[in-house]
Amino acid sequence: MKTELFTGDSREIMPQHGPYDMILADPPYGDTSLAWDRRVDGWLEGALAALKPTGSMWVFGSMRFFMATGAIFAAAGWRYAQDIVWEKHNGSAFHADRFKRVHEHVVQFYPNDAKWSDVYNDVQTTPDAAPRVTRRKRRPTHTGNIEKSEYISEDGGPRLMRSVIYMRSAHGRAIHPTEKPVALLEILARTSCPKGGLLGDWFAGSAAAGDACGITDRNYIGCEIDADMANLARARLQSTLFAAGQ
Ligand SMILES: C[S@@+](CC[C@H](N)C(=O)[O-])C[C@H]1O[C@@H](n2cnc3c(N)ncnc32)[C@H](O)[C@@H]1O
Protein backbone atom coordinates (compact mmCIF):
# COMPACT_ATOMS: atom_id res chain seq x y z
CA MET A 1 0.00 0.00 0.00
CA LYS A 2 1.20 3.55 -0.68
CA THR A 3 1.67 5.89 2.28
CA GLU A 4 2.91 9.41 1.65
CA LEU A 5 2.87 12.60 3.69
CA PHE A 6 3.63 15.97 2.08
CA THR A 7 4.71 19.10 3.89
CA GLY A 8 2.94 22.22 2.66
CA ASP A 9 -0.43 23.76 1.87
CA SER A 10 -3.00 21.13 0.97
CA ARG A 11 -4.78 23.62 -1.31
CA GLU A 12 -1.79 23.51 -3.65
CA ILE A 13 -0.48 20.00 -3.08
CA MET A 14 -3.40 17.62 -2.60
CA PRO A 15 -5.38 18.19 -5.84
CA GLN A 16 -2.31 17.12 -7.85
CA HIS A 17 -2.24 13.64 -6.32
CA GLY A 18 -5.82 12.45 -6.79
CA PRO A 19 -8.27 11.27 -7.75
CA TYR A 20 -9.29 10.18 -4.26
CA ASP A 21 -11.86 7.59 -3.24
CA MET A 22 -12.34 9.38 0.05
CA ILE A 23 -11.21 12.71 1.45
CA LEU A 24 -10.72 13.19 5.16
CA ALA A 25 -10.61 16.76 6.41
CA ASP A 26 -9.91 17.73 9.99
CA PRO A 27 -9.26 21.45 9.57
CA PRO A 28 -8.67 23.96 12.36
CA TYR A 29 -12.23 24.68 13.61
CA GLY A 30 -11.60 28.37 14.31
CA ASP A 31 -13.47 28.12 17.62
CA THR A 32 -10.82 29.70 19.85
CA SER A 33 -8.41 32.64 19.72
CA LEU A 34 -5.40 30.30 19.74
CA ALA A 35 -2.86 31.18 17.03
CA TRP A 36 -3.08 27.74 15.30
CA ASP A 37 -6.88 27.67 15.38
CA ARG A 38 -7.58 29.79 12.26
CA ARG A 39 -10.20 28.65 9.76
CA VAL A 40 -8.73 27.79 6.36
CA ASP A 41 -10.50 29.19 3.27
CA GLY A 42 -10.56 28.07 -0.32
CA TRP A 43 -9.89 24.34 0.00
CA LEU A 44 -13.35 22.93 -0.74
CA GLU A 45 -13.35 23.53 -4.51
CA GLY A 46 -9.98 21.83 -5.03
CA ALA A 47 -11.07 18.90 -2.88
CA LEU A 48 -14.26 18.46 -4.91
CA ALA A 49 -12.33 18.44 -8.19
CA ALA A 50 -9.88 15.85 -6.81
CA LEU A 51 -12.57 13.31 -5.88
CA LYS A 52 -13.55 10.23 -7.90
CA PRO A 53 -17.20 10.20 -9.11
CA THR A 54 -17.95 7.58 -6.43
CA GLY A 55 -16.12 9.48 -3.68
CA SER A 56 -17.18 11.36 -0.59
CA MET A 57 -15.61 13.47 2.13
CA TRP A 58 -15.75 13.19 5.92
CA VAL A 59 -15.10 16.44 7.82
CA PHE A 60 -14.42 16.79 11.54
CA GLY A 61 -15.76 19.88 13.27
CA SER A 62 -17.69 21.36 16.14
CA MET A 63 -21.33 22.44 15.84
CA ARG A 64 -20.06 26.04 15.95
CA PHE A 65 -17.77 25.28 12.98
CA PHE A 66 -20.52 23.68 10.86
CA MET A 67 -23.05 26.41 11.64
CA ALA A 68 -20.51 29.01 10.52
CA THR A 69 -19.45 27.17 7.37
CA GLY A 70 -22.50 25.16 6.20
CA ALA A 71 -23.37 27.63 3.42
CA ILE A 72 -19.75 27.64 2.25
CA PHE A 73 -19.80 23.85 1.80
CA ALA A 74 -23.03 24.13 -0.20
CA ALA A 75 -21.73 27.00 -2.36
CA ALA A 76 -18.59 24.98 -3.16
CA GLY A 77 -20.73 22.12 -4.53
CA TRP A 78 -20.92 19.77 -1.53
CA ARG A 79 -24.08 18.12 -0.28
CA TYR A 80 -24.68 16.83 3.25
CA ALA A 81 -25.08 13.02 3.48
CA GLN A 82 -24.99 12.13 7.17
CA ASP A 83 -23.13 12.88 10.37
CA ILE A 84 -21.80 10.98 13.34
CA VAL A 85 -20.97 12.12 16.83
CA TRP A 86 -17.69 11.10 18.36
CA GLU A 87 -18.15 10.89 22.11
CA LYS A 88 -14.85 11.07 23.99
CA HIS A 89 -13.82 10.14 27.50
CA ASN A 90 -12.58 13.66 28.18
CA GLY A 91 -13.49 17.03 26.75
CA SER A 92 -13.07 20.77 26.76
CA ALA A 93 -14.63 23.18 29.24
CA PHE A 94 -14.06 26.61 27.67
CA HIS A 95 -16.78 28.17 29.85
CA ALA A 96 -17.76 27.33 33.42
CA ASP A 97 -21.38 28.38 32.69
CA ARG A 98 -21.91 25.85 29.85
CA PHE A 99 -21.78 22.08 29.53
CA LYS A 100 -18.36 20.54 29.26
CA ARG A 101 -18.14 19.49 25.62
CA VAL A 102 -17.26 15.80 25.29
CA HIS A 103 -18.18 15.27 21.66
CA GLU A 104 -17.26 16.30 18.15
CA HIS A 105 -19.11 15.95 14.89
CA VAL A 106 -17.94 14.20 11.75
CA VAL A 107 -20.03 15.05 8.70
CA GLN A 108 -20.04 13.20 5.40
CA PHE A 109 -20.49 15.26 2.21
CA TYR A 110 -20.69 14.18 -1.41
CA PRO A 111 -20.71 16.15 -4.67
CA ASN A 112 -23.92 18.02 -5.46
CA ASP A 113 -24.07 16.57 -8.94
CA ALA A 114 -23.53 12.93 -7.80
CA LYS A 115 -26.26 10.42 -6.94
CA TRP A 116 -26.03 9.08 -3.38
CA SER A 117 -26.63 5.56 -4.66
CA ASP A 118 -23.43 5.85 -6.77
CA VAL A 119 -21.29 6.89 -3.81
CA TYR A 120 -19.15 4.13 -2.27
CA ASN A 121 -20.68 3.56 1.14
CA ASP A 122 -20.08 0.25 2.91
CA VAL A 123 -21.94 0.91 6.14
CA GLN A 124 -20.09 -0.76 8.99
CA THR A 125 -21.74 -3.15 11.41
CA THR A 126 -21.09 -4.22 14.96
CA PRO A 127 -21.34 -7.90 15.92
CA ASP A 128 -23.03 -7.30 19.27
CA ALA A 129 -26.67 -8.08 18.58
CA ALA A 130 -28.12 -9.97 21.57
CA PRO A 131 -31.91 -10.46 21.27
CA ARG A 132 -33.19 -13.92 20.30
CA VAL A 133 -35.45 -12.53 17.65
CA THR A 134 -35.22 -11.54 14.03
CA ARG A 135 -36.22 -7.98 13.38
CA ARG A 136 -37.00 -6.50 10.03
CA LYS A 137 -36.26 -2.84 10.10
CA ARG A 138 -38.34 -0.71 7.81
CA ARG A 139 -38.62 2.97 7.35
CA PRO A 140 -41.05 4.56 9.76
CA THR A 141 -43.98 6.20 7.95
CA HIS A 142 -42.77 9.71 8.66
CA THR A 143 -39.70 9.10 6.48
CA GLY A 144 -41.78 8.09 3.47
CA ASN A 145 -39.95 10.38 1.06
CA ILE A 146 -36.57 8.77 1.75
CA GLU A 147 -35.42 6.05 -0.62
CA LYS A 148 -36.32 2.42 0.28
CA SER A 149 -33.97 0.81 2.72
CA GLU A 150 -34.36 -2.33 4.78
CA TYR A 151 -32.09 -4.58 6.76
CA ILE A 152 -32.45 -7.65 8.95
CA SER A 153 -30.95 -7.95 12.41
CA GLU A 154 -30.70 -11.55 13.61
CA ASP A 155 -29.77 -13.20 16.87
CA GLY A 156 -26.11 -12.48 17.53
CA GLY A 157 -25.69 -11.08 14.05
CA PRO A 158 -24.40 -7.76 12.87
CA ARG A 159 -26.12 -4.49 13.59
CA LEU A 160 -25.71 -1.24 11.74
CA MET A 161 -23.16 0.87 13.49
CA ARG A 162 -24.70 3.62 15.58
CA SER A 163 -24.22 7.27 14.72
CA VAL A 164 -22.93 8.09 18.21
CA ILE A 165 -19.58 6.38 18.67
CA TYR A 166 -17.81 6.35 22.00
CA MET A 167 -14.06 6.17 21.80
CA ARG A 168 -11.27 7.34 24.06
CA SER A 169 -9.36 10.29 22.68
CA ALA A 170 -5.63 10.00 22.02
CA HIS A 171 -5.00 12.32 24.99
CA GLY A 172 -1.81 11.43 26.89
CA ARG A 173 -0.10 9.55 24.05
CA ALA A 174 -0.85 11.97 21.21
CA ILE A 175 1.80 13.81 19.20
CA HIS A 176 -0.74 16.42 18.01
CA PRO A 177 -2.99 18.52 20.31
CA THR A 178 -6.14 17.55 18.39
CA GLU A 179 -5.15 14.04 17.30
CA LYS A 180 -8.05 11.75 16.39
CA PRO A 181 -8.27 8.10 17.51
CA VAL A 182 -7.04 5.66 14.88
CA ALA A 183 -9.94 3.28 15.56
CA LEU A 184 -12.49 5.99 14.69
CA LEU A 185 -10.63 6.82 11.48
CA GLU A 186 -10.58 3.11 10.64
CA ILE A 187 -14.38 3.06 10.72
CA LEU A 188 -14.55 6.02 8.32
CA ALA A 189 -11.99 4.45 5.96
CA ARG A 190 -13.79 1.09 5.91
CA THR A 191 -17.14 2.79 5.29
CA SER A 192 -16.19 5.21 2.55
CA CYS A 193 -12.98 4.06 0.86
CA PRO A 194 -12.83 0.68 -0.90
CA LYS A 195 -10.02 -1.71 0.04
CA GLY A 196 -6.96 -0.74 -2.01
CA GLY A 197 -8.47 2.70 -2.70
CA LEU A 198 -6.90 6.09 -2.04
CA LEU A 199 -7.68 8.25 0.97
CA GLY A 200 -6.56 11.90 0.92
CA ASP A 201 -6.00 13.54 4.31
CA TRP A 202 -6.17 17.32 3.75
CA PHE A 203 -5.10 18.43 7.27
CA ALA A 204 -2.98 15.53 8.38
CA GLY A 205 -1.60 16.68 11.76
CA SER A 206 -0.14 13.52 13.31
CA ALA A 207 -1.21 11.40 10.29
CA ALA A 208 -3.35 9.19 12.52
CA ALA A 209 -5.39 8.53 9.37
CA GLY A 210 -2.26 7.07 7.77
CA ASP A 211 -2.17 4.47 10.51
CA ALA A 212 -5.86 3.73 9.95
CA CYS A 213 -5.16 3.22 6.24
CA GLY A 214 -2.23 0.90 6.99
CA ILE A 215 -4.44 -1.23 9.22
CA THR A 216 -7.33 -1.36 6.74
CA ASP A 217 -5.34 -1.77 3.49
CA ARG A 218 -6.11 1.63 1.97
CA ASN A 219 -3.55 3.85 0.23
CA TYR A 220 -2.85 7.11 2.02
CA ILE A 221 -1.72 10.59 0.95
CA GLY A 222 -1.69 13.28 3.61
CA CYS A 223 -0.56 16.89 3.80
CA GLU A 224 0.48 18.96 6.82
CA ILE A 225 1.53 22.60 6.65
CA ASP A 226 3.57 22.63 9.86
CA ALA A 227 6.98 21.21 8.96
CA ASP A 228 7.84 20.08 12.52
CA MET A 229 4.55 18.25 12.85
CA ALA A 230 4.94 16.73 9.40
CA ASN A 231 8.33 15.31 10.44
CA LEU A 232 6.85 13.83 13.61
CA ALA A 233 3.99 12.37 11.59
CA ARG A 234 6.35 10.79 9.06
CA ALA A 235 8.34 9.22 11.90
CA ARG A 236 5.11 7.89 13.38
CA LEU A 237 4.05 6.35 10.08
CA GLN A 238 7.44 4.78 9.57
CA SER A 239 7.39 3.14 12.98
CA THR A 240 3.77 1.94 12.91
CA LEU A 241 3.84 0.71 9.32
CA PHE A 242 7.22 -0.89 9.87
CA ALA A 243 5.79 -2.63 12.96
CA ALA A 244 2.89 -3.82 10.80
CA GLY A 245 5.35 -5.29 8.28
CA GLN A 246 4.50 -2.87 5.42
C1 LIG B 1 -7.18 19.65 13.61
S1 LIG B 1 -5.54 19.38 13.13
C2 LIG B 1 -5.54 17.77 12.40
C3 LIG B 1 -5.27 16.67 13.39
C4 LIG B 1 -5.19 15.33 12.73
N1 LIG B 1 -6.46 14.88 12.19
C5 LIG B 1 -4.68 14.25 13.70
O1 LIG B 1 -5.40 13.26 13.96
O2 LIG B 1 -3.57 14.40 14.18
C6 LIG B 1 -5.40 20.45 11.75
C7 LIG B 1 -4.03 20.47 11.10
O3 LIG B 1 -4.12 21.14 9.85
C8 LIG B 1 -2.90 21.82 9.61
N2 LIG B 1 -3.16 22.82 8.57
C9 LIG B 1 -3.72 24.03 8.70
N3 LIG B 1 -3.82 24.63 7.50
C10 LIG B 1 -3.35 23.75 6.57
C11 LIG B 1 -3.21 23.78 5.16
N4 LIG B 1 -3.61 24.84 4.44
N5 LIG B 1 -2.69 22.71 4.54
C12 LIG B 1 -2.29 21.62 5.25
N6 LIG B 1 -2.38 21.53 6.60
C13 LIG B 1 -2.92 22.59 7.25
C14 LIG B 1 -2.52 22.37 10.98
O4 LIG B 1 -1.15 22.65 11.06
C15 LIG B 1 -2.97 21.23 11.90
O5 LIG B 1 -1.90 20.35 12.20
Side-chain angles (χ1 to χ4, degrees):
M1 288 292 118
K2 179 167 71 175
T3 302
E4 196 160 5
L5 185 80
F6 293 102
T7 305
D9 192 325
S10 57
R11 290 170 288 198
E12 289 153 20
I13 294 175
M14 290 301 275
Q16 302 170 30
H17 297 279
Y20 299 93
D21 292 280
M22 169 187 158
I23 291 175
L24 178 78
D26 182 16
Y29 300 172
D31 285 354
T32 66
S33 54
L34 295 168
W36 55 265
D37 193 18
R38 294 277 175 277
R39 271 188 205 132
V40 181
D41 298 322
W43 61 276
L44 286 166
E45 292 79 2
L48 187 75
L51 201 64
K52 284 190 187 167
T54 51
S56 65
M57 171 170 78
W58 281 97
V59 184
F60 277 86
S62 60
M63 177 64 91
R64 188 187 293 274
F65 169 82
F66 284 114
M67 286 182 72
T69 58
I72 300 172
F73 278 85
W78 290 99
R79 184 191 296 226
Y80 166 93
Q82 60 177 332
D83 65 283
I84 61 175
V85 170
W86 166 37
E87 183 191 358
K88 354 182 203 185
H89 76 286
N90 59 350
S92 357
F94 294 121
H95 307 279
D97 59 351
R98 302 182 199 178
F99 291 98
K100 177 171 169 172
R101 201 182 72 193
V102 292
H103 70 279
E104 296 188 26
H105 297 263
V106 203
V107 179
Q108 185 185 24
F109 295 92
Y110 66 108
N112 235 335
D113 56 9
K115 261 188 9 210
W116 172 246
S117 53
D118 292 340
V119 171
Y120 181 85
N121 194 52
D122 181 15
V123 177
Q124 296 302 289
T125 52
T126 54
D128 56 357
R132 304 190 71 77
V133 290
T134 298
R135 296 198 186 98
R136 283 176 192 280
K137 300 278 186 184
R138 287 214 180 78
R139 295 167 296 161
T141 46
H142 67 271
T143 57
N145 59 344
I146 293 180
E147 283 172 29
K148 181 173 158 47
S149 155
E150 185 178 332
Y151 76 98
I152 300 171
S153 169
E154 290 177 354
D155 179 21
R159 286 181 165 184
L160 288 181
M161 190 152 267
R162 295 162 62 99
S163 62
V164 177
I165 300 176
Y166 174 81
M167 207 160 276
R168 289 182 70 82
S169 70
H171 187 76
R173 58 201 144 78
I175 58 171
H176 190 284
T178 63
E179 189 169 323
K180 304 300 179 286
V182 172
L184 180 64
L185 300 169
E186 267 185 65
I187 294 172
L188 300 182
R190 288 185 202 280
T191 301
S192 302
C193 184
K195 213 170 186 179
L198 178 61
L199 186 150
D201 186 7
W202 248 239
F203 302 91
S206 67
D211 270 0
C213 286
I215 294 166
T216 58
D217 293 331
R218 273 75 178 163
N219 294 293
Y220 173 81
I221 294 181
C223 185
E224 169 55 45
I225 206 165
D226 179 319
D228 292 338
M229 181 49 63
N231 286 335
L232 285 173
R234 268 189 287 271
R236 170 219 187 116
L237 288 175
Q238 265 165 17
S239 62
T240 49
L241 298 182
F242 178 74
Q246 294 191 24

